Amino acid sequence: MAQATKKKPVAKAAGAPVSARIAAQAHFHTLRLGTPFQPRIDALARTQDWYNWAGYRAPHSLWDEELEYFAIRSQAALFDISPMTKYRIEGPEAEALLNRVTLRDVTKLRPGRVHYTAWCDDEGFVLDDGTLFRLSPTRFRLCSQERHLPWLLDSAVGFDVIVEEETEAVAGLALQGPTSFAVLRDAGFAGVERLKIFDLADFPHDGGPQGNTQVTISRTGFTGDLGYELFVSADMALSLWDRLMTSGDLRGIRAIGYTALNRARLEAGLIVANADFTTAEHAIRADRLRMPDEIGLGFMIDLEKGHFNGRRAILEARAKRKLRYVLVGLEIEGNIPAEHAIVYHKKAHEVGLVSAAMWSPMAKRNIAIASLARPYGDTMVEDLWVEIYAMRELQYQKLMKRAKVVARPFIKLDRRTANPPADF
Amino acid sequence: MKAWDAIIIGGGHNGLVNACYLQRAGLDVLVVEKNDWVGGAATSRELTPGFLYSNCSYVCSLFRPEIMRDLELPRFGLQVISYEGGAVFTRDGDYLANYRDRDAHRREFARFSKRDAEAYDRYARDVTRQCRFIQPLLMRTAPDPTSLRPRDLGELLYLGKKFAGLSAQEMALTLRFWTMSISEFLDEYFETDVIKANFALSGIIGTALGPMSPGTAYVLLHHYMGEVDGSVGAWGYARGGMGAVTKALAASFKASGGTIRTGAEVDRVLVKRGKVKGVVLAGGEEIYGKLVVSNADVKRTFLKLVEEKELPEIFLRRVRNFKIRGSSGKVNIALDSLPEFPALPKDSPVYRGDMHFTDSMERMERAYDDWKAGRWSVDPFLDMVIPTTLDPTMAPPGKHFMSCFVQYAPPKIGGREWTDADRDGFAESVIAQIAEYSPSFRDRIVHMEVRTPREIEAEVGLTEGNIFQGELTFDQLLFNRPVPGYAQYRSPVDGLYMCGSSTHPGGGVMGAPGRNAAAEILRDLAKSTSHMSPAHDVI
Ligand SMILES: Cc1cc2nc3c(=O)[nH]c(=O)nc-3n(C[C@H](O)[C@H](O)[C@H](O)COP(=O)(O)OP(=O)(O)OC[C@H]3O[C@@H](n4cnc5c(N)ncnc54)[C@H](O)[C@@H]3O)c2cc1C
């Protein structure tokens, strides 16, 4: 645990006692950890198709990536989000700290609410994006792709607040899809129907021999669909999984891997750090750094709320027109995914790169997210093309396809926000 | 009498690289080496039956892959094998390991500090950025800022452009980085002493400076360069010890028609009317050559081999003042079995990596205090590896070669020469430190080679035993290496060139000085350099 207070202005993580340190030595035997849900996931893993998510063994797919995608869109899909980095930020000045550190106005984030936000270094370059959960007036959870403890602790100097990394201690599940509400209600989470989009609340969970605890359920997700995220202490993970699976049995619940989720997120027009943009602490090449306005996160910036990290640089870049890139949604002719294709103006002048692309089964359109060098994609949106190298039986079929800048999300589902949530 | 096209004084790796490139350009080249073997500070010798030591250098991290390729070194037997991380043993019975796996590395650091564990990404990013800036400069002749020749202006412009390519922030960071101490640099990222000590060692290896001395941050880059190279197999053990590098070079040289004479010490460089004529060997034999290239360090070359009257006063003065203070020693040990370190789990990959016992910045700085006082460090800093955990060619099965690089060891003890008793005392400080962490260590020792700066100077010819042929401080780098006005491998004597680590870009088994010098020589001879690859792109 790390603490920063006014009296003790140096944010310092206390050194672990020697015995605890030595007890932890053996971690090198397991290079990819299992999450608290691993026994259940392993039992369902028919494809044995794993990838490394922040040091955890996570499934690309479990049985069939295409069908897993349709589970999200037609029934309810269960996806393990435990490897996501989580920080507990708590104290009388937690709100003030987070307001200083993130782009959006945290004073407007009421207890029991979640918002999607991002944060920048002092030069206004995006360190990461993530979700901020306000669990109580003085307690927050910040979830992100990358790790930020030094930066949070350094920012916390002078604030009466505790910053603690709780990735391993807290297990997380995303339950997404049209029947997700019904699954939760049938699992006995009374009152879950009252959760509107971006609301959160605690619900009792009887973990059997492990005792009683609370599950935090929020109506959030990464799919653009009706969906929820559930957080519980790691030791209650399996009983929570079983509770959902049991109640979901009649509602078509399926566990899924990342490939399916990634498709859903692309349809929802959502970006992924270090896939659609490079985070500032990982960008070795200076021209890879991005300001919020350059990756479609300008809407988060709240200039009314007072000082926050990067504010000065962002204002200057806006005033002096120093913004060099723009992140856009593209609709591309044909049906061949344009993953990592180069974007051209007038088929000749290179103006950007596609970072994610797919044929959208929901929209029946060929969609993509791309970063373009301004003014292309910003004021110049005509005559854009992507060059697709489609490998077919050891030959590239080179295609030059017209691309149209379109608004994100690529699909908009009423059931995502409908109140009360539909009971499928 | 035969006059060679070029005579290279010294068969160190840079002399051999230089000789290879010149021979391949069609010159008739002779290498004269004082020892009965080639290699200089990159040698492997069998001093006790069955065991091969990397007598001086022991890790191949800097050698330019472009050179390996140009000179076909793989064909002549060179193989570099990556190794696994390493550890700093702590005095409380634990250790801090470096694992190759990124997540294991983070978890390991988190055992000591969660904060520092998460600070590593930013640290790695910043060091990588600095390396990427320096790396393309390694294989280019440094510009002479006082010259108005188009080439120098072009190179200055290149430097300027590279600099201009940095943001204001980065430029400031780069300038600070080149001048600050490794200790201050690490303070900007980490809070845990042992984690800082873990990284600091790269800032002091081979340097007569402590972790708190300005300029040590740059030295770190010198040791990181191999890791950012991007070419797999650029960092690791040379299979067969570091002598494998020079063995392959010598074979490549001979295959292209070159001649090597070992056991041939040059006593003097022959100069007539300001122009080089050849060399005189210690026995009096004269060998004539149209040009002479010295692989020996700049002090040895110009203060011992060339008559003073042939050299301008200011040049001589600068050569005399060139900082080349010895700071290190080496203990090579043959072991009849793998030593055990009770702090380590039995299957730890650390056995196959580098091991250290200095777990705080203060201990490191105190070790340096001893150097300043003219003593070897009572509590030395060791960089210890057991290459035979990965390389089966250096010891019989089950037996091991252990290499201990030791800091600090001053060139003189309290102002006087090292004695044999001093040498034994120095070795005991090393053995005692290892035995503290490996109780049965002493019993496993079969043979030992102990090298203080005295032995390193006497055998390799490295003045004061300085491993880099001159310190890598910023005042002795780029166009100031070895001395201002002579950073382009030429000397005040017509036809006499330098190609050793005293020249840009400096020490380490890198090959770049030898290669760059060859490019300059061929330019002077108006010969093609098409057989020399330019530096790989850093993209
Ligand atoms: C103990 C030690 C450990 C090291 N560890 C590493 C390491 O792990 N990794 C790394 O990259 N670098 C390491 N180095 C540094 C590296 O080995 C040297 O910087 C590099 O080998 C120098 O090469 P060179 O060709 O420039 O000169 P040298 O190797 O010094 O070669 C000069 C040659 O000239 C010969 N010579 C000198 N005078 C005469 C004369 N009058 N007549 C004829 N011949 C002469 C010498 O005998 C020698 O062979 C280490 C050095 C030492 C000493």
Side-chain angles (χ1 to χ4, degrees):
Chain A
M1 184 196 293
Q3 187 156 14
T5 64
K6 273 188 182 130
K7 274 165 250 128
K8 219 176 69 181
V10 183
K12 235 179 178 311
V18 186
S19 56
R21 260 200 270 128
I22 290 179
Q25 280 177 351
H27 69 86
F28 73 90
H29 287 134
T30 316
L31 295 182
R32 300 290 164 262
L33 300 184
T35 76
F37 300 108
Q38 208 71 37
R40 298 294 183 269
I41 292 172
D42 283 350
L44 294 172
R46 305 273 179 269
T47 55
Q48 295 290 334
D49 178 14
W50 306 103
Y51 75 107
N52 175 14
W53 180 3
Y56 288 87
R57 181 163 56 91
H60 265 306
S61 69
L62 289 172
W63 85 100
D64 180 320
E65 54 187 43
E66 212 158 273
L67 300 186
E68 288 169 37
Y69 161 83
F70 285 108
I72 303 175
R73 293 297 183 219
S74 173
Q75 304 120 248
L78 200 54
F79 180 71
D80 180 5
I81 54 173
S82 305
M84 202 164 54
T85 308
K86 306 174 219 59
Y87 297 102
R88 176 172 72 93
I89 298 160
E90 184 165 14
E93 291 184 309
E95 179 189 274
L97 166 67
L98 286 161
N99 218 21
R100 236 291 290 281
V101 149
T102 61
L103 296 178
R104 297 181 77 163
D105 188 346
V106 181
T107 63
K108 290 184 191 151
L109 180 68
R110 284 176 283 111
R113 293 283 292 167
V114 184
H115 68 202
Y116 171 46
T117 187
W119 46 103
C120 295
D121 63 15
D122 288 338
E123 291 148 84
F125 296 120
V126 179
L127 287 161
D128 212 343
D129 62 350
T131 39
L132 183 62
F133 295 71
R134 187 159 197 169
L135 304 170
S136 82
T138 55
R139 178 166 181 187
F140 295 82
R141 174 175 296 140
L142 185 65
C143 296
S144 61
Q145 183 70 21
E146 298 301 334
R147 292 177 168 265
H148 304 283
L149 191 58
W151 179 77
L152 287 171
L153 287 173
D154 291 349
S155 303
V157 172
F159 287 90
D160 190 356
V161 65
I162 285 168
V163 177
E164 189 191 24
E165 195 259 352
E166 55 176 18
T167 305
E168 284 186 33
V170 178
L173 282 175
L175 178 68
Q176 302 281 304
T179 64
S180 55
F181 160 69
V183 172
L184 289 178
R185 187 204 46 207
D186 294 355
F189 292 108
V192 76
E193 69 282 355
R194 282 196 295 275
L195 292 181
K196 297 198 179 66
I197 186 107
F198 290 118
D199 279 350
L200 69 82
D202 282 347
F203 296 85
H205 174 60
D206 177 1
Q210 290 141 13
N212 289 309
T213 189
Q214 300 282 307
V215 192
T216 303
I217 303 181
S218 56
R219 187 163 164 190
T220 50
F222 209 52
T223 57
D225 217 309
L226 172 61
Y228 299 84
E229 287 170 315
L230 299 86
F231 292 96
V232 71
S233 71
D235 56 338
M236 294 291 189
L238 294 179
S239 60
L240 177 63
W241 177 283
D242 295 342
R243 184 173 170 186
L244 296 175
M245 277 304 204
T246 307
S247 82
D249 194 29
L250 299 178
R251 307 275 177 174
I253 194 170
R254 300 301 299 260
I256 63 160
Y258 182 70
T259 307
L261 182 87
N262 192 39
R263 292 182 189 186
R265 74 92 186 174
L266 181 51
E267 289 186 319
L270 299 167
I271 58 172
V272 173
N274 286 322
D276 296 295
F277 70 97
T278 304
T279 55
E281 290 205 333
H282 292 89
I284 288 163
R285 297 157 189 82
D287 63 347
R288 307 301 203 273
L289 298 162
R290 291 292 182 272
M291 290 191 147
D293 290 307
E294 295 176 317
I295 54 170
L297 302 183
F299 72 92
M300 294 175 173
I301 297 167
D302 193 325
L303 295 173
E304 307 303 308
K305 72 170 184 173
H307 186 70
F308 60 90
N309 289 11
R311 183 177 192 272
R312 213 167 295 129
I314 289 169
L315 274 177
E316 191 187 293
R318 282 182 173 182
K320 295 193 177 158
R321 307 190 157 275
K322 287 206 294 190
L323 297 166
R324 294 165 60 207
Y325 302 93
V326 63
L327 185 139
V328 294
L330 293 181
E331 192 183 323
I332 295 162
E333 52 171 339
N335 67 348
I336 314 291
E339 187 132 53
H340 293 143
I342 294 177
V343 183
Y344 292 91
H345 181 239
K346 297 193 166 164
K347 298 189 185 179
H349 175 51
E350 193 179 321
V351 297
L353 183 84
V354 170
S355 53
M358 69 184 284
W359 168 259
S360 162
M362 288 293 276
K364 299 285 184 272
R365 292 188 291 162
N366 199 22
I367 60 172
I369 289 175
S371 281
L372 307 185
R374 292 178 191 234
Y376 301 100
D378 179 28
T379 53
M380 296 188 64
V381 294
E382 297 304 316
D383 220 347
L384 295 176
W385 300 79
V386 297
E387 187 175 36
I388 303 169
Y389 278 60
M391 175 70 88
R392 294 292 181 276
E393 296 175 327
L394 290 182
Q395 255 184 49
Y396 275 126
Q397 314 269 181
K398 282 190 261 177
L399 312 169
M400 189 60 96
K401 294 289 181 189
R402 192 178 280 280
K404 201 169 87 192
V405 173
V406 297
R408 289 175 292 145
F410 298 100
I411 58 156
K412 220 169 168 168
L413 299 169
D414 291 339
R415 62 187 182 231
R416 171 172 173 262
T417 49
N419 288 310
D423 177 13
F424 287 99
Chain B
M1 269 301 286
K2 166 164 185 162
W4 297 85
D5 289 335
I7 300 170
I8 318 295
I9 306 175
H13 83 285
N14 276 315
L16 291 170
V17 165
N18 187 266
C20 284
Y21 278 116
L22 295 184
Q23 184 74 34
R24 280 168 186 250
L27 272 59
D28 193 11
V29 182
L30 171 72
V31 172
V32 281
E33 163 57 51
K34 75 173 170 58
N35 289 324
D36 294 331
W37 59 90
V38 294
T43 46
S44 311
R45 299 180 60 210
E46 184 173 337
L47 299 180
T48 187
F51 291 87
L52 210 53
Y53 291 161
S54 275
N55 305 78
C56 288
S57 58
Y58 49 102
V59 180
C60 187
S61 59
L62 293 159
F63 201 67
R64 303 285 88 211
E66 297 89 337
I67 298 175
M68 297 191 200
R69 174 177 171 170
D70 283 351
L71 304 181
E72 302 173 274
L73 300 188
R75 196 183 126 205
F76 296 105
L78 179 61
Q79 216 181 311
V80 180
I81 36 184
S82 305
Y83 66 76
E84 300 196 50
V88 183
F89 290 84
T90 56
R91 285 199 285 190
D92 56 20
D94 196 4
Y95 61 85
L96 170 82
N98 290 294
Y99 294 116
R100 280 170 64 88
D101 183 83
R102 183 170 170 256
D103 297 296
H105 195 259
R106 189 190 70 241
R107 288 186 196 115
E108 178 67 4
F109 278 39
R111 291 203 297 121
F112 291 81
S113 157
K114 279 188 160 195
R115 181 194 193 283
D116 285 358
E118 299 194 12
Y120 179 72
D121 280 350
R122 194 166 65 89
Y123 171 78
R125 176 199 68 180
D126 289 352
V127 174
T128 307
R129 281 183 182 174
Q130 297 300 326
C131 282
R132 288 168 53 86
F133 183 79
I134 292 288
Q135 202 168 324
L137 304 179
L138 298 178
M139 299 263 285
R140 305 172 81 102
T141 298
D144 179 350
T146 61
S147 139
L148 292 175
R149 283 185 311 163
R151 247 190 72 224
D152 285 309
L153 292 179
E155 281 295 309
L156 271 177
L157 200 70
Y158 172 83
L159 254 183
K161 265 206 195 124
K162 267 194 69 77
F163 224 74
L166 302 177
S167 69
Q169 217 89 16
E170 287 177 297
M171 210 178 287
L173 187 72
T174 298
L175 281 179
R176 281 186 67 220
F177 188 83
W178 287 0
T179 48
M180 77 200 300
S181 77
I182 184 68
S183 167
E184 289 166 323
F185 180 65
L186 291 166
D187 283 344
E188 297 195 355
Y189 300 88
F190 304 109
E191 62 180 10
T192 312
D193 210 17
V194 61
I195 289 177
K196 287 191 249 184
N198 174 61
F199 289 117
L201 50 98
S202 298
I204 56 162
I205 284 197
T207 306
L209 295 169
M212 296 171 190
S213 316
T216 42
Y218 174 82
V219 180
L220 170 91
L221 283 198
H222 217 76
H223 295 277
Y224 256 83
M225 215 75 76
E227 286 188 46
V228 300
D229 196 282
S231 324
V232 175
W235 166 278
Y237 298 133
R239 199 160 184 272
M242 288 300 275
V245 174
T246 45
K247 213 167 128 187
L249 282 168
S252 170
F253 178 56
K254 286 185 197 154
S256 60
T259 311
I260 299 177
R261 272 183 68 178
T262 51
E265 176 164 5
V266 171
D267 183 53
R268 200 152 51 81
V269 176
L270 275 173
V271 183
K272 226 181 214 163
R273 282 194 283 280
K275 169 118 189 60
V276 80
K277 290 290 165 204
V279 297
V280 186
L281 297 190
E285 181 187 347
E286 293 192 357
I287 308 178
Y288 302 104
K290 293 175 194 148
L291 53 92
V292 172
V293 190
S294 177
N295 177 203
D297 67 62
V298 65
K299 286 208 174 191
R300 182 158 306 268
T301 305
F302 294 101
L303 304 180
K304 297 226 164 99
L305 303 182
V306 179
E307 285 188 57
E308 282 187 18
K309 63 177 195 304
E310 302 292 345
L311 301 168
E313 189 273 336
I314 174 114
F315 175 80
L316 264 177
R317 183 146 37 97
R318 283 185 167 153
V319 169
R320 280 199 193 98
N321 291 339
F322 184 65
K323 278 182 296 178
I324 191 163
R325 301 169 300 180
S327 58
S328 340
K330 183 91 195 284
V331 179
N332 297 311
I333 307 171
L335 297 165
D336 69 3
S337 56
L338 188 67
E340 276 161 20
F341 292 87
L344 287 180
K346 281 209 168 16
D347 58 352
S348 171
V350 167
Y351 280 104
R352 297 183 290 276
D354 45 26
M355 293 177 245
H356 311 104
F357 307 100
T358 307
D359 60 355
S360 76
M361 296 299 275
E362 195 190 322
R363 278 176 75 191
M364 215 173 265
E365 186 69 17
R366 289 217 185 286
Y368 178 51
D369 288 342
D370 287 336
W371 180 91
K372 283 185 277 186
R375 307 183 288 260
W376 65 85
S377 308
V378 274
D379 178 20
F381 155 71
L382 302 193
D383 186 28
M384 186 181 94
V385 293
I386 311 175
T388 40
T389 51
L390 293 173
D391 179 353
T393 68
M394 299 184 78
K399 305 196 187 296
H400 289 279
F401 156 55
M402 176 190 269
S403 160
C404 304
F405 181 86
V406 190
Q407 235 164 260
Y408 293 82
K412 289 205 161 61
I413 298 299
R416 61 161 172 80
E417 299 300 328
W418 281 78
T419 63
D420 288 353
D422 292 334
R423 185 194 56 203
D424 295 345
F426 165 78
E428 176 52 29
S429 73
V430 173
I431 303 300
Q433 192 182 67
I434 300 171
E436 230 183 279
Y437 299 86
S438 181
S440 63
F441 177 70
R442 279 175 203 273
D443 307 334
R444 300 174 198 261
I445 300 175
V446 176
H447 176 267
M448 203 158 74
E449 179 193 26
V450 185
R451 332 194 77 194
T452 71
R454 174 181 70 159
E455 284 77 24
I456 295 175
E457 166 148 15
E459 184 194 295
V460 189
L462 289 165
T463 301
E464 296 199 17
N466 182 288
I467 74 163
F468 294 137
Q469 289 198 355
E471 282 166 62
L472 298 174
T473 49
F474 198 57
D475 56 325
Q476 301 197 147
L477 289 174
L478 277 166
F479 37 72
N480 291 324
R481 190 170 185 94
V483 298
Y486 294 93
Q488 300 184 333
Y489 311 99
R490 296 175 187 80
S491 79
V493 178
D494 198 9
L496 176 60
Y497 294 82
M498 316 170 238
C499 76
S501 299
S502 287
T503 60
H504 169 76
V509 180
M510 178 154 46
R515 174 210 172 269
N516 296 352
E520 290 302 317
I521 292 166
L522 294 173
R523 203 167 271 130
D524 285 352
L525 298 174
K527 293 234 177 220
S528 162
T529 53
S530 60
H531 61 307
M532 309 180 72
S533 300
H536 289 160
D537 294 332
V538 177
I539 61 164

